[in-house]
Amino acid sequence: QVQLVESGGGLVQAGGSLRLSCAASGGTFSTYYMGWFRQAPGKERDFVARISMSGGTTKYGDSVKGRFTISRDSTKNTVYLQITSLKPEDTAVYYCAARRFYAFTRTEDVTYWGQGTQVTVSS
């Protein structure tokens, strides 16, 4: 059983930056695709970013390309999401996601979820 614990959310002004972290435990980190989704109030949970097991391949949702960067540190079993040029529409709960061996962009393909971290962007 894999546990995912997010941190790094908060309140930030538009144009600012944040770095979200997701610490993984209970599994072999290098065998998991890792990623992030977000869910705004009253909306569906949407794909944000994904990184391959080796860290060599990344994929981003269209709304965050060029502003968000996903990375992973195998020595710390942690995945990061660097968020820049924040916009009010980025306000959401951000969830860490994991799936062993296979990639994902849909919520139904994710095996493990974190509890979420709130990001609020003020205008």
Side-chain angles (χ1 to χ4, degrees):
Q1 186 75 10
V2 172
Q3 292 81 45
L4 304 174
V5 179
E6 302 99 331
S7 61
L11 174 63
V12 63
Q13 288 188 331
S17 300
L18 278 176
R19 189 178 78 159
L20 307 183
S21 300
C22 171
S25 61
T28 304
F29 187 67
S30 63
T31 65
Y32 285 84
Y33 276 80
M34 302 294 297
W36 294 89
F37 288 72
R38 66 184 182 183
Q39 187 167 21
K43 296 189 176 181
E44 294 184 348
R45 192 172 296 190
D46 291 332
F47 173 75
V48 171
R50 181 195 75 216
I51 189 165
S52 62
M53 293 180 287
S54 68
T57 303
T58 58
K59 184 177 179 65
Y60 296 93
D62 289 340
S63 63
V64 306
K65 285 180 181 177
R67 298 190 298 122
F68 289 21
T69 303
I70 189 170
S71 60
R72 64 192 293 161
D73 185 340
S74 60
T75 66
K76 297 180 179 179
N77 287 1
T78 299
V79 62
Y80 303 99
L81 187 68
Q82 181 71 45
I83 309 174
T84 62
S85 302
L86 276 158
K87 305 175 183 180
E89 51 263 43
D90 294 320
T91 295
V93 178
Y94 284 70
Y95 293 92
C96 184
R99 185 186 187 193
R100 199 172 190 197
F101 296 136
Y102 298 101
F104 56 81
T105 56
R106 305 180 306 169
T107 56
E108 54 263 46
D109 292 331
V110 173
T111 308
Y112 299 104
W113 294 98
Q115 82 288 352
T117 186
Q118 176 71 47
V119 172
T120 302
V121 184
S122 62
S123 57

